[in-house]
Every structure is written in structure tokens, then in C-alpha cells.
Amino acid sequence: MSSSPDFLHGLRTSPTRRTVLAAGLGVALAPSLRAAPARTLTVAAFPLVDQILRDAAPSWARRHPDVALDVVTRQYDDHHTAMTTALSTSVYLPDVMALESSFVGKFSLGGGLSDLLQPRYDIGRYRDRYVAYAYDQAVNRRGQVVAAPTDIGPGTLLYRKDMLERAGLAEADLQPSWDAYVDAGMKIRKATGANLIGNVKTLKDLMIRSGLEKGQGIYFDSDSNVLVDTPRFHRAFEIALRVRRNRLDGHLDTWSNEWAEAFRRGQTATELGGSWMVGQLANWVAPTTAGLWRAAQLPESSWVSYGGTYYAIPRDSDPANKALAWELIEMMTLDPARQLAALKTQDAFPALLAAQDDPFIGEPQAFLGGQRARLVWREAARRIAATAVHKQSNFAEDAVNAELDYVLDDGKDIRQALADAASLLELRAKR
Amino acid sequence: MRLPAFLRLSPRWAPYVFISPFLLLFAVFSLFPLCFSLYLAFQSWEPTGGLRAMEFVGMSNFTFAIKDGWFWMSLRNTLWLALASGVPQHLVAIPLAAFIHTSFMRLRDGVMAIYFLPYITSTVAIAIMFRSLFSQDYGMINAALAGLFGMAHTDWLTNAQHIKPAIAFIVFWRYVGFNTVLYLAAMQTIPGELYEAATLDGASRWKQFLHITLPSIKPMIFFGVTLSVIGGLQLFEEPFILTGGKGGPQQAAMTSAVYLFREAFDFNDFGGASAMSWLLFVVVALLTWITNLAFRPRKGRA
């Protein structure tokens, strides 16, 4: 306290209104006087994406030494809640926001994000440089492009090669159909005691996303008709039930401690998800299982997009920073060097085609026992079709999950379960 | 030091100035949200479109809420949890308070502090702790049940039949000490002569409890039950954190308050969520009124 400024001493001896006012004013002004960079570009992001942005800060500083890059990190859920709030009130909007792909669809409907087709951005001229489905995913119903893709999550099947071998199986035995995948699971269970999958919901999630025509939604079509009571969902529920009846799933919540521990202890033989799942397994879920895993295409030639990241510019953000915001997005999504850096450090699979053609894509991956798995994902990425997102998609996902719980836990009839989910959705479809 | 006249506070205004901090905070954090949610209940609003995206839709949010199956399901979940956690709280707290009142003399404060501790602990810490206690394969609760009774491991948090009792237990554990403190305070105001007279008349301790203690603490029972009814119907943090904010298997742990939050922030329907919150307010008011009818001291009886 010996170094406290003079006005604080004044405050202690004679607390008059004026000194209190002066003190308050001084405290309020002090930080803004001290830190005075020419300009700041604010980017809101969630973990891993924030790291990719921070890694890019030196190259940004070389381009714009006078513009500080301020990366604001929040946890995944908090970030998207904060972005919803910021967009709803148009207050404290960042210049650039990172968005997970499902939120791009959700936010695209409200008009709170800038249309990147406007001449000042003109993302249309870069269309052919991005993976087709990733670009199409950001086009809303009015034809506007509300975000630029930076990384993608081509769906993939990860399996423990050692466990398959102990069961006398090979990769090809998992792939012909979802039924073959479950059959293989029974053999794996017999030979190793391991579960086929930690959470059977993941299997359902991948299955309902496959076989979609371009532009069709998962739960609703473009006229808001409910698509839940359809063969696509019936089949996914039937396969999930088959897995549960044969006790092949771990009954574990994805990302829970038990779910992760089952990977570490070799109690889970396969996992379905986006290609980013490899990074999660390698970095924190089960680093000790390195070398035992392999990646393959999903069963039944299912081409599925499962996660991905975009950058967007809020409509009402500071107009003076919009050009810089777009320049940052161009740098992050169109510069192959930056895209490859994100792949190398954070396993973010590039949405930029030029980066996908880099020799690094063909490099062996140690966690996958030296497999060149990125070539598998690149093939998948080029076959995936964009799906339309309905504003009730999040609710639909939860309603379908709850009905799947009824089917798996209480033996509810699948037809009844899907009809019940459909009627819940119909009430909301046109809200 | 004398202040110049324009800075001096006239006695006429002084009370208003002194009360203004509360009024300001109340206006900003209670009154405004209240009015805003009432306004929102009649709007359709895509929040990411900004404030200008609101559109008046009349009563349609209310008709939607009444038709929505999940609104009623969440209300049923809430009532189940309120009963399963609320009733045992009082059934345990009253005898416990009587026991502590009569049996602990010097240690009373210390014993009470231990029972009161869960109430002042952060809900988030409690929920996180119980999350690991209830863990299926590595949790202490399953380990204890297996060790003591040889029970198979129960999937407390991933099975719809088990998650409700698990949450009810946490809520019970948390508030039983609070209720005990209420009842203990009420018991300490009962004059000792009543018990002495009853003892002289040969009344047993059970009779004394039944005819002296219980009638005397009735106003406190009314107060405690009212708090439990209101708190139980607003239950949010414990189920929200235990299920990662997702409602749990079959949405069995989705209370009305959790559903309101999810309707607004997960499902982007602020209008519907506001309408539901006003419907919930009606339910809470109704049940509080019923509690009042049941426990209100009647005229003509002391």
C-alpha cells in the first residue's frame, strides 16, 4: 500500500464528496490511459479454436503491428450462450466469432450475422476453394452465406486393431453394413469382453445423418415437415436396440469420466465420430492406447459430417473493424499455411482444399499406428453433402434422444416412440 | 467542513436517497426482468436476430406451452422431486430438532452447525461432489452398497428410474439441516413450564411431543413447508449440473426451471420460455395458497 496514489491518501484523511468523486474518476480512467494500443480486433472463441487463433497472432502482428488481436475464450457451451446473448442485444459483440457448425445453422436463421456475399467480403469468389459441403452448410434459406468454414469433421469409424485381431476380424468385417458392424461387436465381446461402443446414442446420431440428400435436413425438410417418423430413424433405432439387447454398449455418457476411463482400460473397442475424435483420444481421453487404434470409413458407405468450426462477423459489430475482421477470416481459412498449422497442432481437419492437397495429409499418424488416416477423411470430406438446419434442430435432437432412452431402457415400441417424437416436433415445427 | 448549499441533502429527500440503492438494484435486477419476461411472453423472438426481430403473437406462446408435452412432463418431474425431497425433510427435521433440543445441551450449537453446513455450501460444489459419489463404476456410493449388501452397481445418473431418487436425496441432504434450525428455534421459544406441568400430570415424552411441541411449532411448520414448496418448484441447480444441463435420461431430471432455461437458451425460444415461466408462477402461487389453507392458524384457536 505504500505506493498507493496521492488521491487515496486524501481519501483516508478527509472523505469529502469531491475526493470520493475524484477517486472514482481516477480509477475509472486509469486502465484506459495505461493500455493504449492503436486498435484491437476482438475474436470470441472456445477451447482449441482459441489456441489456433493465438498461434496465428504472430503472423497477424506482422501484417498489422498496430492492431492487437484479442482472443476471448469461453468454454464451449458458455461461448455459444454468450454469443446468443450478444447477438440478441447487439451489445459487446466481438469483431469475429467462432461458431461450431450446428450453431451456424441455428444462428443463420436470425439475421444477426453479416452476409459474407456482400461485395465488401465477396466470399462467393472463394467458393471453389473450400470443401463443398462445408461452404454450403453456411448458406441460409435466404441464400446468404453467414460464416466461413475453417475446420471440418468428416465422420469416421475408429477401432482397436488389436481387439479386432483377437476376435479374428479385420476392418472389412465392420464395414459392409451397420448389421455387420453389430455382428462384429458380438464377436469382439466374446473374444475380449470389451464393449462395441461407449454410448449407443452416437451410433444413432451417425445413422440419422447418413443418406441425406443435399439440402435436406436431419429432422425437418425445407417446408418444416417432420422427418422423424421415417425409415431412416426406424432403422437407426432398430440397430441401436440390437446393440443394447446384446449388451454391446457401455451405457456411458459421452465425455463423462466413465466413458473416458473405459477407453483407457480397453473396455471400448470402437468409436464413431468426427475425425477430430482422434485428437481427443490422443491428447486426453486415452493417450496410453496410442498405436492401437485405426480409422476407417463408416459402415455402409455412410458419408456424414460430424462437427466443424466456422468464423462469422456479427451484423452489428463495430463497422470500423469489419474490413480487418474479414482479413483475419481470410487469413485463417484461406491461407494453407495457417490451415496446416491448425491441423498439425490441434488436429483441426482443414476446410481449405489447397491444404488438403498438401503432402502433410499423407503423413503417417503415430496414434493410429502409422496409418495415413487423413487420406481416409479427405475422401469422406469430398463425398459429404450439406444438410439444412432447422431452427428446432436442437430440440428435435433431445426429443429423439429421450424417445431412444424409452426404447432402450423401458422397451417402448419403436413405432410409438418415433410417432411420439414426431408429434412433439409438429407442435413446434412452424413456430 | 461545511458543504455548499447545493450539495447538502434536505431532510425531505434524505429517506429517498438512502433507500435508492436497494430500489435501483431491485429495479434493474428484479423489476425490469419481470416486466421484460411478461412482454416477451407475447412475442415471437429469434434472439440472434437482435431486439428488432421481435414480433407480437398474442396468446400463441401460452397455447403452445399448454399443448407442449414436455412442459407437463417437466411439471410432473418437478412435483415428484418436490414431494420426494420435501416431505422427508420435514419428517426428519422435526424429530431431529426435538432430539437435539432435549439431548444436547452444551454441544447443541456444534451439532447444529454440522447439519447446517450443506445449506451454506455452494450448490455447484455439492453437485460436482455427488456426481463423483454417484459414479457408476468408480463412485463411493456404489462401492459402499456393494461392500455392505453385495448390490450390483447401479447406474444412478444414466437411468431414468434412478436419477430422480438420486437428486431427491441430494436436495433432502442439503435442506434438512436448514429446516432443523428453523424447528429448533421454534422449540426454544416454548415455555419450559408447559413441559414441567405435563410431567407432573404424568404425560410421557411422546405425549408431550404430540400435544405441546407439535402445536407450538405449527406456525414454523407453515413457514418451513411454504419455503419447501416454493424452493422445490423452482429446483434448478442440482438437476442442471448433475445432467450437464441436458435433462438426463428420458429427460427424467428436467424440472420446470431447467426446461425454461433450455427452452430459451438451448432451443432459442424466449417467447415460449417466458410464457411457461408465467404459467409456472401461477402453479407456485396456487400451491402456496393450498399450503396456507392447510397450515394457517385458525381463528378462535391459539
Side-chain angles (χ1 to χ4, degrees), chain A residues 231-248:
Chain A
R232 184 159 47 93
F233 280 84
H234 279 270
R235 179 109 195 285
F237 270 50
E238 274 155 18
I239 296 284
L241 183 59
R242 215 185 134 211
V243 169
R244 175 59 60 82
R245 283 212 172 126
N246 290 294
R247 297 167 180 276
L248 299 179

Side-chain angles (χ1 to χ4, degrees), chain A residues 78-264:
Chain A
D78 298 337
H79 167 78
H80 291 102
T81 303
M83 292 306 106
T84 305
T85 314
L87 287 170
S88 68
T89 54
S90 304
V91 176
Y92 291 119
L93 283 164
D95 296 308
V96 175
M97 58 170 74
L99 291 173
E100 203 276 333
S101 62
S102 65
F103 287 90
V104 172
K106 197 167 131 178
F107 287 10
S108 74
L109 307 158
L113 301 177
S114 297
D115 178 11
L116 300 180
L117 282 176
Q118 288 171 55
R120 64 196 304 187
Y121 314 118
D122 194 16
I123 195 176
R125 70 197 136 126
Y126 301 131
R127 180 176 189 150
D128 296 338
R129 292 168 68 178
Y130 295 114
V131 170
Y133 88 86
Y135 180 94
D136 293 342
Q137 198 81 53
V139 182
N140 71 8
R141 233 177 275 165
R142 296 184 286 274
Q144 300 163 330
V145 180
V146 297
T150 181
D151 64 66
I152 57 174
T156 187
L157 162 63
L158 303 174
Y159 64 89
R160 283 278 298 260
K161 186 164 186 278
D162 55 326
M163 290 190 184
L164 252 67
E165 278 167 359
R166 268 151 67 199
L169 296 166
E171 183 176 306
D173 296 310
L174 297 172
Q175 285 189 309
S177 67
W178 290 103
D179 277 301
Y181 171 69
V182 181
D183 291 340
M186 298 207 278
K187 287 181 190 151
I188 295 169
R189 159 70 94 206
K190 211 178 245 174
T192 67
N195 290 316
L196 178 62
I197 191 165
N199 185 345
V200 75
K201 262 182 205 148
T202 315
L203 171 76
K204 178 267 304 169
D205 282 336
L206 271 293
M207 283 189 73
I208 59 173
R209 279 169 174 75
S210 70
L212 291 173
E213 309 266 310
K214 184 183 164 188
Q216 196 185 9
I218 300 168
Y219 304 98
F220 301 90
D221 69 10
S222 52
D223 298 320
S224 286
N225 294 310
V226 180
L227 301 176
V228 165
D229 200 357
T230 55
R232 184 159 47 93
F233 280 84
H234 279 270
R235 179 109 195 285
F237 270 50
E238 274 155 18
I239 296 284
L241 183 59
R242 215 185 134 211
V243 169
R244 175 59 60 82
R245 283 212 172 126
N246 290 294
R247 297 167 180 276
L248 299 179
D249 72 314
H251 216 221
L252 306 169
D253 275 342
T254 308
W255 308 119
S256 67
N257 290 335
E258 288 87 344
W259 173 86
E261 192 61 31
F263 279 111
R264 283 173 212 138

Side-chain angles (χ1 to χ4, degrees), chain B residues 32-301:
Chain B
F32 170 74
L34 213 65
C35 298
F36 189 56
S37 95
L38 188 62
Y39 176 75
L40 266 182
F42 298 95
Q43 309 283 325
S44 164
W45 184 32
E46 170 59 50
T48 57
L51 290 169
R52 68 189 99 160
M54 282 188 207
E55 196 186 320
F56 181 77
V57 290
M59 295 296 288
S60 86
N61 287 327
F62 289 93
T63 52
F64 161 73
I66 285 167
K67 281 192 219 156
D68 181 29
W70 275 27
F71 176 68
W72 295 107
M73 178 183 73
S74 71
L75 211 53
R76 283 195 299 275
N77 289 342
T78 311
L79 290 175
W80 195 104
L81 284 169
L83 279 176
S85 66
V87 174
Q89 269 176 45
H90 296 276
L91 292 184
V92 170
I94 294 172
L96 185 65
F99 176 67
I100 293 173
H101 184 53
T102 52
S103 307
F104 290 94
M105 290 302 155
R106 249 184 246 164
L107 288 174
R108 186 190 288 159
D109 291 348
V111 172
M112 262 339 293
I114 292 169
Y115 276 104
F116 197 67
L117 210 55
Y119 179 74
I120 54 168
T121 308
S122 139
T123 322
V124 178
I126 288 171
I128 290 171
M129 183 187 75
F130 272 98
R131 213 182 148 114
S132 72
L133 287 178
F134 277 121
S135 165
Q136 185 179 343
D137 293 326
Y138 316 107
M140 290 199 359
I141 289 175
N142 274 345
L145 290 176
L148 291 174
F149 310 109
M151 278 171 64
H153 283 184
T154 309
D155 44 358
W156 290 109
L157 300 179
T158 51
N159 184 303
Q161 266 77 49
H162 302 147
I163 193 166
K164 273 200 196 118
I167 291 173
F169 174 76
I170 298 172
V171 177
F172 163 78
W173 172 83
R174 182 149 187 234
Y175 290 99
V176 77
F178 173 75
N179 285 305
T180 311
V181 169
L182 289 186
Y183 292 129
L184 196 60
M187 284 170 196
Q188 283 165 350
T189 64
I190 304 173
E193 301 92 75
L194 289 178
Y195 292 102
E196 282 164 25
T199 315
L200 283 178
D201 288 343
S204 66
R205 288 197 50 179
W206 169 245
K207 290 251 173 192
Q208 291 180 18
F209 175 74
L210 218 58
H211 296 290
I212 299 173
T213 314
L214 267 189
S216 308
I217 61 168
K218 201 173 160 191
M220 196 56 99
I221 298 181
F222 170 53
F223 179 65
V225 169
T226 307
L227 284 188
S228 290
V229 167
I230 296 174
L233 293 176
Q234 295 182 340
L235 186 65
F236 177 79
E237 288 125 319
E238 288 89 350
F240 188 82
I241 297 163
L242 275 178
T243 63
K246 299 292 178 213
Q250 295 177 15
Q251 299 295 333
M254 188 169 66
T255 61
S256 295
V258 174
Y259 186 40
L260 295 182
F261 177 88
R262 302 203 64 202
E263 182 69 9
F265 288 97
D266 288 353
F267 308 147
N268 264 17
D269 185 356
F270 281 70
S274 301
M276 286 174 196
S277 67
W278 283 93
L279 290 175
L280 182 66
F281 165 70
V282 171
V283 173
V284 174
L286 207 69
L287 287 175
T288 310
W289 180 65
I290 293 172
T291 317
N292 189 17
L293 282 188
F295 288 96
R296 185 171 51 190
R298 286 171 186 81
K299 277 185 188 145
R301 292 178 61 189

Side-chain angles (χ1 to χ4, degrees), chain A residues 317-399:
Chain A
S317 66
D318 182 3
N321 277 352
K322 292 215 179 207
L324 282 170
W326 176 241
E327 197 183 328
L328 178 73
I329 292 176
E330 280 185 319
M331 180 178 111
M332 297 308 295
T333 67
L334 291 161
D335 177 357
R338 292 263 55 87
Q339 286 265 300
L340 282 168
L343 175 65
K344 285 173 193 170
T345 59
Q346 308 297 336
D347 282 295
F349 201 79
L352 182 69
L353 290 169
Q356 290 186 5
D357 289 331
D358 189 272
F360 180 77
I361 292 285
E363 295 271 308
Q365 284 170 265
F367 187 78
L368 299 174
Q371 187 192 3
R372 296 164 205 278
R374 295 188 190 98
L375 298 172
V376 174
W377 302 329
R378 183 172 73 182
E379 191 204 347
R382 292 179 184 188
R383 290 172 179 246
I384 296 169
T387 52
V389 176
H390 190 274
K391 79 174 177 186
Q392 294 289 351
S393 292
N394 283 20
F395 177 82
E397 184 180 330
D398 280 8

